[in-house]
Amino acid sequence: MTNTLENNGILILNSDKSNNTPEKTVIVIGVARSGTTMIASILKELGVFLGDAASGAVLEDPKLSRQIENGEKREVAATIASYDKRFPIWATKRPELYHHLSDYLSMFRNPHIVATFRDPIAIARRNEISMLGDPIEGLLRANEETADLIRFVRSLDCPALLASYEKASANGATFLDKLLDFLNLDPTEQERQKALDCISNGPESYLKNTHVRFEGELTSVNRRQARGWLERYPRYKPVTVEILNGRKVIGQGTLENSTPAEEGPPAKPTFCIKLKGWFNPEKVTARVANTTYIIPRSKALEM
């Protein structure tokens, strides 16, 4: 007998809008670092297609996500049509795609939303660990994004499964059964076991592939500008540097990480940031914006 007082951390919306046809599209959304990769990993092990370019640790389809986020409706329609033709059921996973989905949801065939929710402090700590983000700023952002996600799912007119990441991790079998029922999937015992194996807190490959680190130096500061160099690993993403006098930002600039050279290692990206106001150059520091990483002052710092 089912215990009606049991809290499994799952909420299903618009179940009356669901149909049992095998043709459907699963859209996995959630605040970044709230467990969407776990859901995508489960779907992969169940044999659900996740996109032509979905690979690596995060299992996102960058082509479709980019098309939606850039407002390329013709391209989105073509990609969806291609996937629909090839697969009776397929999925796309992208944290925070809900900011853009309202204008596109009607283009998907029989959409079924899976939205993950996680303790905001856990999200903030994960961003601090992996991205060196400021934990308090991260906590504020996680709460704001969670509120946006709730408003989005409340507006839906299609089936949606809302899941607590903590509850799913604690009782994987119950969560998997609910997900299978929601999507009307009937996996083999081997597929089911592999899907259960995906329900864990931060798989090692995911943590390694999403961890960010920095190296750099503040090499010169005067009344007009600050100079230095900074590298972000993994490379090839823009980085914003803030120059501070105490807690006050007196200048900032964005540098693009260098692309690989044809021969030899890529050059170190440098910055030259104009400064404003009155300040003591000896007390000037530099940090990567939205992180806790302070760029070390060079031992040969020029003043």
Side-chain angles (χ1 to χ4, degrees):
M1 184 174 70
T2 302
N3 182 358
T4 57
L5 298 179
E6 180 184 1
N7 179 2
N8 58 23
I10 297 170
L11 176 63
I12 296 179
L13 307 179
N14 305 320
S15 58
D16 58 319
K17 302 294 177 65
S18 181
N19 59 62
N20 292 323
T21 60
E23 291 80 15
K24 60 175 62 72
T25 310
V26 187
I27 304 173
V28 182
I29 56 174
V31 177
R33 306 192 185 277
S34 67
T36 54
T37 298
M38 182 184 75
I39 304 299
S41 299
I42 291 171
L43 294 173
K44 179 183 177 183
E45 296 300 340
L46 294 173
V48 178
F49 174 75
L50 289 164
D52 284 329
S55 61
V58 296
L59 296 173
E60 293 180 13
D61 182 356
K63 179 176 72 171
L64 182 56
S65 298
R66 182 179 63 251
Q67 290 169 346
I68 292 175
E69 290 169 358
N70 290 343
E72 301 170 357
K73 287 195 172 183
R74 184 178 300 178
E75 291 78 3
V76 171
T79 300
I80 290 175
S82 172
Y83 292 170
D84 284 348
K85 184 177 180 180
R86 292 155 55 194
F87 305 95
I89 179 172
W90 59 275
T92 187
K93 168 255 181 180
R94 177 74 165 176
E96 300 180 7
L97 191 64
Y98 52 89
H99 290 300
H100 309 274
L101 267 179
S102 296
D103 294 333
Y104 294 90
L105 203 53
S106 62
M107 300 171 68
F108 290 94
R109 178 184 60 189
N110 191 15
H112 280 55
I113 304 294
V114 178
T116 57
F117 291 80
R118 189 178 187 183
D119 171 8
I121 289 183
I123 294 174
R125 282 288 291 133
R126 174 56 60 211
N127 279 319
E128 181 186 13
I129 292 167
S130 295
M131 305 295 291
L132 301 181
D134 179 270
I136 297 300
E137 290 297 323
L139 182 58
L140 285 169
R141 185 176 186 276
N143 276 297
E144 291 166 357
E145 292 291 341
T146 299
D148 287 344
L149 177 58
I150 294 170
R151 283 188 282 268
F152 173 76
V153 297
R154 184 174 61 179
S155 71
L156 290 173
D157 193 35
C158 64
L161 184 152
L162 283 53
S164 159
Y165 176 79
E166 286 80 10
K167 288 284 188 177
S169 298
N171 196 340
T174 296
F175 170 74
L176 182 59
D177 287 342
K178 292 291 186 181
L179 181 65
L180 293 174
D181 183 62
F182 176 70
L183 299 178
N184 194 28
L185 294 176
D186 185 21
T188 66
E189 187 56 38
Q190 184 179 22
E191 288 173 333
R192 189 178 190 280
Q193 186 56 55
K194 287 185 176 180
L196 277 174
D197 291 341
C198 295
I199 303 177
S200 59
N201 186 10
E204 185 177 357
S205 62
Y206 173 81
L207 294 176
K208 286 183 177 179
N209 282 276
T210 57
H211 177 66
V212 173
R213 64 184 179 88
F214 300 97
E215 290 182 5
E217 279 188 324
L218 179 63
T219 59
S220 173
V221 178
N222 57 42
R223 289 290 182 183
R224 296 187 301 274
Q225 61 191 18
R227 293 177 178 269
W229 64 270
L230 179 73
E231 288 217 76
R232 177 193 189 277
Y233 302 95
R235 292 189 175 94
Y236 323 131
K237 287 192 177 182
V239 178
T240 297
V241 174
E242 294 178 332
I243 309 299
L244 302 99
N245 181 31
R247 294 186 177 181
K248 182 180 180 182
V249 177
I250 56 175
Q252 70 174 28
T254 300
L255 65 153
E256 295 284 343
N257 271 270
S258 57
T259 56
E262 292 184 4
E263 295 183 5
K268 292 178 179 179
T270 59
F271 58 85
C272 179
I273 298 173
K274 292 183 179 180
L275 306 179
K276 57 186 178 182
W278 293 96
F279 55 87
N280 182 349
E282 294 184 356
K283 295 184 178 180
V284 166
T285 58
R287 74 178 175 197
V288 177
N290 301 315
T291 76
T292 57
Y293 181 77
I294 302 299
I295 302 172
R297 293 165 68 95
S298 170
K299 293 181 180 179
L301 181 71
E302 297 179 7
M303 304 289 287

